[in-house]
Amino acid sequence: MIPVLGITTCNQFDVFCKLVDSINHPVKVLSVLVNSSLNYFDQIREYLYSHPNHNIDKVDLAFCEQNMGCSSSWNFHIKNYPDAEYWVLCSGDVILGENDLKQINEKTRLHDGCFADKDMEFVLFALNRSMIKKVGLFDENIHPAGYEDDDYRKRMALGDADIDWFDIGAYHTSAGTIKSMPSDNQQTILHTISPLNHQYYCRKWGTYKPICTGTAKERI
């Protein structure tokens, strides 16, 4: 059984419903963080309680009207359940494949972390307690999104984390939170916030080298 499956959603209600329906492996706690309006929170709450999934023992629903951002949202699920053996984190624009959660459950017991292949590592992945001790949580200075995955790859390599990949069967809608935002918000993120995150990353590590394949030590 998966201890905690954390999903953060800001919009795309239809995709979220399909994601929850696609959970096909026993989950002790489904942790859902709604980074959006109260109206969207009500939609999510109504769906979760009117369409129970028999694979889920408990649903934990949280609300933040002001978007926490990617790093803080991932950390939220981990901090809320600090005693969990491991945490599975899934983007809100994914529909799970038949064996995704089963593979994660098996591999995360043998490795510090487990990531989806096909350059989709941080779309669906899991971190266990050993990973958090070696690498820590996501850097919340990177906000709201962009470079948090690169930063974590770098830290995993430097921390000599033992990671593995699984053959993802999930369908990534690629809708993405940003693509569902108003045009003005998208432009602000792309042309103002993203460059600031890039600058922060370079100040922290000295350079930026985007690598999305290979072993953890090759991701420096």
Side-chain angles (χ1 to χ4, degrees):
M1 175 177 284
I2 289 173
V4 178
L5 171 58
I7 300 172
T8 302
T9 181
C10 299
N11 43 42
Q12 305 169 81
F13 176 70
D14 291 344
V15 177
F16 174 83
C17 295
K18 292 176 182 178
L19 168 56
V20 172
D21 292 346
S22 70
I23 296 173
N24 54 15
H25 188 86
V27 172
K28 184 175 182 180
V29 178
L30 174 63
S31 175
V32 178
L33 171 61
V34 180
N35 274 337
S36 189
S37 67
L38 186 56
N39 287 338
Y40 186 65
F41 173 81
D42 288 338
Q43 280 185 290
I44 295 295
R45 178 174 56 183
E46 172 61 26
Y47 187 84
L48 288 171
Y49 292 118
S50 62
H51 296 77
N53 183 322
H54 71 277
N55 289 302
I56 303 169
D57 280 3
K58 175 187 175 183
V59 174
D60 187 0
L61 186 58
F63 171 61
C64 180
E65 188 171 8
Q66 187 172 12
N67 194 332
M68 285 188 186
C70 190
S71 292
S72 298
S73 295
W74 290 146
N75 290 345
F76 173 87
H77 298 292
I78 298 172
K79 291 175 181 178
N80 250 19
Y81 289 92
D83 296 328
E85 182 182 353
Y86 68 91
W87 306 265
V88 178
L89 302 172
C90 181
S91 294
D93 56 352
V94 167
I95 300 172
L96 296 169
E98 182 177 356
N99 295 311
D100 290 341
L101 295 180
K102 181 176 183 293
Q103 290 184 83
I104 290 173
N105 185 54
E106 293 170 351
K107 289 178 177 289
T108 311
R109 297 180 186 280
L110 303 174
H111 304 276
D112 298 330
C114 178
F115 296 81
D117 63 356
K118 302 176 184 175
D119 297 335
M120 293 171 61
E121 300 103 315
F122 289 89
V123 169
L124 178 60
F125 63 102
L127 311 174
N128 66 17
R129 299 176 65 81
S130 177
M131 177 71 85
I132 302 303
K133 289 178 181 178
K134 290 180 179 180
V135 179
L137 297 170
F138 286 87
D139 187 342
E140 297 186 10
N141 291 300
I142 301 173
H143 180 85
Y147 298 92
E148 73 282 337
D149 50 354
D150 299 289
D151 178 78
Y152 210 80
R153 289 189 190 100
K154 178 81 173 180
R155 290 160 56 202
M156 285 193 297
L158 294 175
D160 199 27
D162 175 20
I163 65 176
D164 198 5
W165 289 265
F166 66 95
D167 298 322
I168 189 170
Y171 171 61
H172 187 205
T173 66
S174 297
T177 299
I178 185 174
K179 294 180 181 179
S180 300
M181 289 179 174
S183 177
D184 288 349
N185 291 11
Q186 291 186 39
Q187 294 304 310
T188 298
I189 290 175
L190 292 173
H191 300 296
T192 302
I193 296 176
S194 184
L196 289 174
N197 284 338
H198 177 266
Q199 292 171 21
Y200 172 80
Y201 181 94
C202 291
R203 287 198 304 271
K204 184 175 181 178
W205 299 114
T207 186
Y208 174 63
K209 182 181 178 182
I211 300 177
C212 297
T213 58
T215 65
K217 285 186 178 299
E218 292 171 340
R219 295 167 191 254
I220 298 178

